[in-house]
Structures are given as C-alpha cells and as structure tokens.
Amino acid sequence: MILFFSILFFAAFAQSEIKPINWSAVERLAANQPDSIRALVERLVAVDRTLTADEKRLAVYGQAVLTKNREEGMAVKAEEAYNAGKYKESYRLANYALEMNSLSLTALRIAEWSIRRQLEAGSPNFFESDADNFLKRANSIYSTIETTGNGTQKMPFFVTKASDEYNFMRYYLELNEFAGQSEVGNCDVIELTQISQYYTKKKIWFDNSHAKKLAKEK
C-alpha cells in the first residue's frame, strides 16, 4: 500500500530525482491510513537506513499533516530557554515538543545543542551519542527536504512550516545572511546576500503551502 501511494504521489516525476510534494495525496493517505505514516515516522526516528527516499518523504510530510504543526509554540519556548542559557529547561521543552512531533527540526536542534552545552559543563547525564542521535534525525529530514526541489521558482523546496526554511538554510545549506523575504502565491522567497558551497543562487524559493493552509483554517 505504501508503494501504491508513493507511485500516486510522484508518478509525474518518476524520471526525476526531484519530487515535489502532492499535499492532496498526502492528506488522503493521512486521513485513510494514518498508521502507515506513523510506522514510517518511527523508522525515520530510529534512523532506519533501509528507508527509501519516497518513504522518507511520506514520513516527513505525512507527519506534518497528522500533527498540524501544533508543537511549534513549544519548540519556540525551547529555543528561547536555550538562548537564555537555561539548558536543562530548553532540553525539557524540546523533548515535550518532540513528543507532539518527533520530526520538529527546531526541537531536534535545541535538544541536540542543549545536551552539548550540558556536556561542556561536565554533566554526567548524557553522552555525545545522545546529541548525535538528534543530529542524525535532523539531517535525515534536511536531506529529505532537499529531494523536493532545487530552490528555484519552478522547483521550490517543500517545507512544513516557516521555521523549516531557516533551519534548512542555516544548518544544512550554510546560508546565514538574508536581505529580505516576500510571498509569491504559496511560496516564500528569500533574498540571499551570501552563498555557500551548497547553494549558489541569489534567491531561494520555498513552497510553504501547508502552513499557509493551516493558518487559513484557524
């Protein structure tokens, strides 16, 4: 059944490495077979290296449909606590956000960083491998986003929320300097004042239609 829906999602792009997300198809699968998505999410969380690219896309974007980004507020609080140097608190809040959505990029980053700061302070409660596990999960999500587009207007990267855009740019593409942001239809367009070895265009386009749809439904 997963194979069937993978074919449904991406048949038009079968010959291409870039496979845009068909949100309508993802939503149908989430409504009719949510457990199939949850099973893939569990495998992604476990960093299952046997997951195919299509299965990873189903996990990442299907999870967004199931969770409706409800963890975002808690992930923001975790980041605020981290920025204030409250690393135990930021770790606790990040894990709370991950209980709501185990694929939250912001929460994964803050959980990882909070562990590393506590290890630097001599905490006996963690190992480097604990932080690495969060990083590996985040990198699996970043590499999945990368398969959905190339950052152009014709083939934007697909994200589940606006914070994904900045996490992806900063921590995967190593883009840290921006001149401005605008909206064009369902896309967010970010003007870059810096390029990197991973991205050399002057603009980067993101399809953020999922979050925009959720905003309209509130």
Side-chain angles (χ1 to χ4, degrees):
M1 184 59 68
I2 290 297
L3 177 60
F4 169 80
F5 278 100
S6 295
I7 293 171
L8 175 64
F9 293 169
F10 310 119
F13 303 91
Q15 303 305 315
S16 173
E17 293 182 0
I18 293 176
K19 297 184 177 181
I21 301 303
N22 182 335
W23 281 112
S24 295
V26 176
E27 289 167 357
R28 286 197 297 273
L29 180 58
N32 296 319
Q33 296 192 48
D35 287 344
S36 65
I37 292 173
R38 294 188 182 103
L40 291 174
V41 171
E42 289 179 3
R43 291 173 61 192
L44 194 150
V45 168
V47 194
D48 182 345
R49 299 189 183 280
T50 68
L51 280 169
T52 67
D54 284 350
E55 287 173 333
K56 289 172 67 177
R57 281 186 282 267
L58 283 171
V60 171
Y61 297 95
Q63 175 79 334
V65 172
L66 293 176
T67 61
K68 299 184 183 297
N69 293 346
R70 65 177 180 271
E71 85 289 347
E72 188 70 350
M74 189 58 62
V76 169
K77 290 181 179 180
E79 188 165 33
E80 291 172 348
Y82 178 87
N83 290 337
K86 301 176 181 179
Y87 303 130
K88 290 183 179 179
E89 178 69 0
S90 62
Y91 179 72
R92 184 185 70 82
L93 293 171
N95 273 280
Y96 188 23
L98 290 170
E99 288 177 6
M100 292 185 271
N101 180 1
S102 57
L103 305 186
S104 166
L105 282 172
T106 298
L108 288 169
R109 174 169 53 83
I110 295 303
E112 177 209 345
W113 289 3
S114 296
I115 290 174
R116 297 196 193 281
R117 298 296 84 77
Q118 291 182 72
L119 285 170
E120 290 169 358
S123 172
N125 298 322
F126 300 101
F127 298 98
E128 285 288 343
S129 59
D130 296 322
D132 290 342
N133 287 337
F134 288 113
L135 177 60
K136 289 176 183 177
R137 194 190 314 177
N139 282 338
S140 186
I141 298 167
Y142 289 136
S143 64
T144 300
I145 294 173
E146 186 178 29
T147 69
T148 66
N150 63 11
T152 63
Q153 182 175 7
K154 184 178 180 180
M155 292 186 288
F157 293 115
F158 280 69
V159 293
T160 65
K161 57 182 75 71
S163 60
D164 287 357
E165 300 170 5
Y166 289 94
N167 282 312
F168 181 70
M169 285 190 295
R170 288 187 172 115
Y171 308 114
Y172 192 72
L173 298 181
E174 296 184 1
L175 300 170
N176 295 293
E177 297 179 12
F178 322 115
Q181 178 176 334
S182 58
E183 293 186 15
V184 179
N186 286 324
C187 287
D188 292 334
V189 189
I190 299 174
E191 302 275 350
L192 302 173
T193 56
Q194 168 211 35
I195 61 173
S196 75
Q197 61 179 316
Y198 305 110
Y199 195 84
T200 58
K201 304 178 184 70
K202 294 295 186 180
K203 295 182 181 180
I204 184 167
W205 291 68
F206 291 98
D207 183 300
N208 193 22
S209 53
H210 175 69
K212 295 180 190 300
K213 179 181 178 182
L214 290 179
K216 291 178 181 178
E217 291 175 353
K218 290 182 179 180

